[in-house]
Amino acid sequence: MELVQDGFRALVELSPDAVFVIVDGYHAFANARGIALLGGRTIEDLRTRPAIEFMHESCRDEARGRIRAVNDGEALRYVEEKIVRLDGVVVDIEAAATPIEVDGHPAALVVVRDITWRKQAEAALRAAEVRFQAPFR
């Protein structure tokens, strides 16, 4: 079983996505991508405040509802949100979660993708469309 666990840990660490385990509202685990995404150097940097505080204020109410749903056993499909890194930089993300149990406590396994580049590309495309259509109005 240890070999399987080591394999899963390696898989998570090699993931291009951020992977978090949230227990009792705090980050219990984050892979290297997750720590970097939130602006930390180690997992200890993330444990100093509740995970919800990393959510942008505009997303917190909906995020609280999703957290309750995951705690009640419901998996969360990918949703777009904004987070705030430790350095205050706002990052557009896409996140999914599934309920798990850690040492008898309800927890969430969360996978997060940084989609900032995609949001910037979408905004640039919209701006280009507006410029292109302007002469025809």
Side-chain angles (χ1 to χ4, degrees), residues 7-68:
F8 278 115
R9 181 172 282 281
L11 177 66
V12 167
E13 285 299 336
L14 291 171
S15 174
D17 294 328
V19 178
F20 302 99
V21 174
I22 309 295
V23 181
D24 295 330
Y26 287 83
H27 292 94
F29 170 83
N31 66 354
R33 178 81 66 180
I35 293 168
L37 177 65
L38 294 179
R41 289 176 295 152
T42 70
I43 186 65
E44 297 307 319
D45 294 334
L46 309 184
R47 290 182 176 159
T48 61
R49 59 196 243 205
I52 192 72
E53 289 186 12
F54 286 95
M55 299 303 303
H56 189 271
E57 289 179 16
S58 65
C59 301
R60 282 189 190 165
D61 287 340
E62 289 181 13
R64 283 185 182 95
R66 287 191 283 272
I67 290 167
R68 279 191 298 276

Side-chain angles (χ1 to χ4, degrees), residues 72-129:
D72 289 341
E74 184 179 325
L76 171 67
R77 295 179 181 251
Y78 279 99
V79 295
E80 291 184 8
E81 299 178 317
K82 292 181 183 293
I83 59 170
V84 181
R85 295 169 33 103
L86 289 169
D87 60 8
V89 172
V90 176
V91 179
D92 289 297
I93 63 161
E94 194 172 64
T98 192
I100 61 172
E101 190 174 291
V102 175
D103 297 329
H105 295 272
L109 175 64
V110 183
V111 177
V112 176
R113 291 185 185 128
D114 181 344
I115 60 167
T116 303
W117 64 270
R118 185 177 86 198
K119 296 304 246 178
Q120 291 170 343
E122 289 170 355
L125 179 59
R126 283 191 301 275
E129 288 172 345

